[in-house]
Amino acid sequence: MTLLSVNVNKVAVLRNSRGGREPSVVAAAEAAIAAGAGGITVHPRPDQRHIRPADVHDLAALVAGRVEYNLEGNPFAPPRPGYPGFLPLVEAVRPTQATLVPDGDGQLTSDHGFDLARDAERLRPLVAQLKAWGVRVSLFMDAGADGLALAAGMGVDRIELYTGPYAEAHAAGDAAAAIGRCAATAREARALGLGVNAGHDLSQANLGDFLRGVPGVLEVSIGHALFGEALHQGLATTVRAYRDIIAAAPGGA
């Protein structure tokens, strides 16, 4: 069954807009776990616009031994005051999975995957270090991207398909080509021994169609849409709705 990992970044955005500790990312993660989430995802950025290093540690203590913990970030971003760097955070908390994402400081959100022809040799020693710490490694990749064999060759465990273009096409009413690219990339990845995750702009409106078009997805990481929906439906109800969509997909039950 596809694992639902709830990304709690947006709770931190709301907290940071006012200062203080409320709303609590730990309380939100606890509520998501209680409602059936199989994992918690955070993406600490160097500018600390949402999740901060202290949150990474607090959430690690919360999820330990209960659900998966997925830490996302750019492994090439240098440390700066208040942010130790992505790999030091991973070393400190040893999440279940590290999802490496090639985003820059100026990006509003992650919007593209790695170019492995350019980045593979820089990534190779970082992947080896993460694996030595016992952390599963996933690379954020575009559907249709070249170079998946390079990912497999450096010991990566999974790729995460960037589903933003699929979500945009689905909203426009014609997602056939986008879902086809995702499915083809997933098949190529699995043929190379790589697991397939997915994330970005997935929602209750498009998740079921995605999972039917790309069977065998191991994990979906969802945050922005989920918390937007939760404003109206409640967090527990929303998490359970996603679980129901996953259960209804091929291989979901």
Side-chain angles (χ1 to χ4, degrees):
M1 183 172 179
T2 304
L3 182 141
L4 171 64
S5 189
V6 173
N7 186 320
V8 297
N9 284 359
K10 285 297 181 289
V11 180
V13 170
L14 184 58
R15 176 199 63 192
N16 295 354
S17 70
R18 180 68 178 266
R21 298 185 177 184
E22 297 297 331
S24 164
V25 293
V26 171
E30 178 62 57
I33 294 167
I40 296 297
T41 291
V42 288
H43 187 152
R45 293 176 182 269
D47 62 10
Q48 301 184 67
R49 71 181 76 162
H50 39 64
I51 290 294
R52 297 166 175 163
D55 298 321
V56 172
H57 288 269
D58 291 345
L59 289 165
L62 175 76
V63 305
R66 301 174 67 193
V67 297
E68 293 201 354
Y69 193 26
N70 176 40
L71 205 60
E72 299 180 342
N74 183 349
F76 302 139
R80 62 199 67 181
Y83 178 78
F86 183 70
L87 261 69
L89 279 174
V90 173
E91 182 182 19
V93 303
R94 306 295 173 96
T96 315
Q97 177 174 271
T99 299
L100 309 185
V101 184
D103 55 357
D105 284 3
Q107 287 180 233
L108 180 62
T109 185
S110 303
D111 61 11
H112 64 280
F114 279 103
D115 176 352
L116 291 182
R118 180 191 65 203
D119 295 325
E121 290 311 307
R122 293 177 70 200
L123 284 167
R124 189 179 300 277
L126 307 181
V127 170
Q129 181 61 79
L130 292 166
K131 298 277 287 182
W133 289 332
V135 177
R136 188 172 71 224
V137 179
S138 179
L139 292 185
F140 198 61
M141 298 294 296
D142 295 317
D146 295 325
L148 293 187
L150 292 170
M154 72 177 76
V156 167
D157 300 287
R158 299 183 182 182
I159 63 166
E160 179 176 323
L161 286 171
Y162 168 48
T163 50
Y166 158 75
E168 184 176 341
H170 190 279
D174 186 9
I179 201 72
R181 286 190 293 272
C182 289
T185 303
R187 286 193 298 270
E188 180 185 357
R190 284 192 287 267
L192 291 164
L194 297 168
V196 177
N197 298 340
H200 209 282
D201 291 338
L202 294 173
S203 68
Q204 290 184 54
N206 62 38
L207 178 59
D209 288 343
F210 180 80
L211 294 177
R212 284 185 287 274
V214 190
V217 171
L218 299 174
E219 172 194 291
V220 289
S221 175
I222 305 177
H224 182 79
L226 188 151
F227 280 98
E229 293 157 349
L231 288 174
H232 307 286
Q233 302 165 3
L235 181 54
T237 298
T238 302
V239 170
R240 287 194 291 267
Y242 276 98
R243 292 270 298 168
D244 289 345
I245 292 168
I246 289 169

